[in-house]
Structure formats: C-alpha cells, structure tokens
Amino acid sequence: ETGVTQTPRHLVMGMTNKKSLKCEQHLGHNAMYWYKQSAKKPLELMFVYSLEERVENNSVPSRFSPECPNSSHLFLHLHTLQPEDSALYLCASSSQGGGGEQFFGPGTRLTVL
Amino acid sequence: GQNIDQPTEMTATEGAIVQINCTYQTSGFNGLFWYQQHAGEAPTFLSYNVLDGLEEKGRFSSFLSRSKGYSYLLLKELQMKDSASYLCAARRSNDYKLSFGAGTTVTVRA
C-alpha cells in the first residue's frame, strides 16, 4: 500500500449506531488530519494530530471522537450521529510538523439514516 | 480568519484554456495551494505558491499576487480527463492549517 488509505470507503449507519473510520498513511509523515466535505461547501477541518498529540479540535461535536495511536494511524469514532453528519470524511497527512503539503486519502462516504 | 472565494462552475471546450480565479482574505498569509479532485476520489496536490509570480508545471500554471490577495490556476490544452473540481486553499503563517474554498467544478466538453 502506498500513500494514504481509508476504510471503509462507504458506510451507512443509523443514528444509534457506533462505528469507526480508519486512516493509515505510508508516507512517514508526522501530522494527520480529519476533514469533513459536504456538497458545495469548503472542506472543514475537524481535527489535527501532530507527533501523535491532538493540536486542533475545531469545535467539533463530541459525537465525533478521534484517536491517533501512532504516527501512521488515525481513527474517527462515531456515536449517535445525526442525518446532517452525512458527508465525505477525508483523512490527510503531512510532514514538517504539519507545515508541508497535505496528502489526502480517498475518503469515506458516510450516510446517516 | 480566512475567507476563500472561487467560482462554482466553469465549462470549456477540449483543447482550450481555462483560468480559475481565487481570492482570499487572511491574517498572516503563508502560501496558496491548488488541489484537483475527481468525483469520488481524493484531492491531489497541483501547485503551491508563496511568492508573487507564475509557477508553471506542464499544462498547468498557478499565479499569486500577495498584495491583491489573488491567485489563479491556468489549465492549458484542456483534455477530457481535466474535468474535475479544483480547490484553492490558503495557509496561515506558523500554522499547519489550510482554509479551503468550496471548489470550482470544471467541465470539459468535446
């Protein structure tokens, strides 16, 4: 595997479900990001981890919970989501403490029923 | 904060040239990125400008004017595969965060 991978690619869940999104980067980067992409809207930065420490939590509701166990892996745990949370969730990574170019994964298309 | 504006949609003919403009208002600006995103795929890096002027990379070029808070992405000799969304993103000084525009969907017609 090369680059940034995300699983699953598609997820449908009910509002009472608990699920997790996974991201893995194979680029030796030390910063990882979660973005939300809704139709016709700018990418919204949700969380940033630099050197495995969370350095940004962009006023995201607590029903989204990130986890970064090491510099190559990033998770987004989902619990009691709302239909308006349906979107494409993109993971990205970068080097230079977050100052370099960001490489994106293919995203997880999430639908909340 | 940062305010990034770019047109929503553009259409052009195969072989033609299209210019996508982006304006930004940011405190402590430190670079402008352009990404390409095909439907259902990851955004991929196209270019980065931090100094004023034109950066050319094959059929794609990007321009920056820091004093005007303005950038453009120029796509030459358009091909069908260039149909995609093009995202403009500005980075702040001493910060790793990018602020993105909503993207410009370019449709290339035969």
Side-chain angles (χ1 to χ4, degrees):
Chain A
E1 291 276 16
T2 58
V4 182
T5 58
Q6 290 185 242
T7 54
R9 293 293 309 276
H10 299 272
L11 178 62
V12 179
M13 58 188 289
M15 290 192 284
T16 57
N17 291 157
K18 287 185 183 180
K19 297 286 184 183
S20 295
L21 309 185
K22 179 183 176 182
C23 175
E24 185 173 357
Q25 59 96 2
H26 310 269
L27 300 168
H29 289 161
N30 53 18
M32 296 187 78
Y33 311 76
W34 279 117
Y35 286 90
K36 176 183 178 182
Q37 188 176 35
S38 303
K40 305 299 182 185
K41 290 185 179 179
L43 267 74
E44 299 172 47
L45 180 64
M46 299 175 72
F47 300 105
V48 181
Y49 277 82
S50 179
L51 300 173
E52 300 162 39
E53 283 192 37
R54 191 192 308 182
V55 295
E56 182 75 21
N57 179 345
N58 222 14
S59 303
V60 179
S62 59
R63 57 186 183 269
F64 294 91
S65 174
E67 179 189 1
C68 186
N70 55 61
S71 60
S72 298
H73 294 86
L74 185 65
F75 295 90
L76 188 62
H77 304 299
L78 315 173
H79 177 49
T80 59
L81 295 192
Q82 305 297 310
E84 59 264 29
D85 297 323
S86 298
L88 181 68
Y89 289 85
L90 290 163
C91 173
S93 69
S94 71
S95 61
Q96 303 171 29
E101 165 202 341
Q102 293 182 20
F103 291 78
F104 285 84
T108 295
R109 173 68 63 187
L110 174 67
T111 302
V112 181
L113 302 176
Chain B
Q2 303 194 68
N3 196 18
I4 316 292
D5 288 314
Q6 55 181 126
T8 305
E9 295 179 338
M10 301 183 76
T11 301
T13 307
E14 199 173 12
I17 298 173
V18 70
Q19 178 175 313
I20 307 170
N21 297 324
C22 172
T23 58
Y24 62 89
Q25 295 172 324
T26 183
S27 52
F29 172 80
N30 188 29
L32 195 292
F33 290 80
W34 284 97
Y35 283 82
Q36 179 192 60
Q37 186 178 22
H38 285 100
E41 297 183 13
T44 55
F45 170 78
L46 288 178
S47 68
Y48 170 63
N49 295 67
V50 66
L51 300 176
D52 285 358
L54 187 68
E55 296 277 346
E56 296 188 78
K57 265 189 193 180
R59 294 188 299 113
F60 293 1
S61 303
S62 57
F63 172 83
L64 177 67
S65 169
R66 295 177 68 118
S67 62
K68 295 181 179 177
Y70 167 69
S71 173
Y72 67 72
L73 180 69
L74 192 69
L75 315 179
K76 294 182 275 189
E77 300 169 21
L78 279 173
Q79 302 176 9
M80 300 300 285
K81 66 179 182 180
D82 298 330
S83 293
S85 181
Y86 291 85
L87 311 177
C88 172
R91 184 170 70 189
R92 283 200 302 241
S93 293
N94 303 318
D95 200 318
Y96 30 73
K97 291 186 287 186
L98 295 181
S99 291
F100 283 84
T104 299
T105 300
V106 172
T107 302
V108 181
R109 294 184 173 162

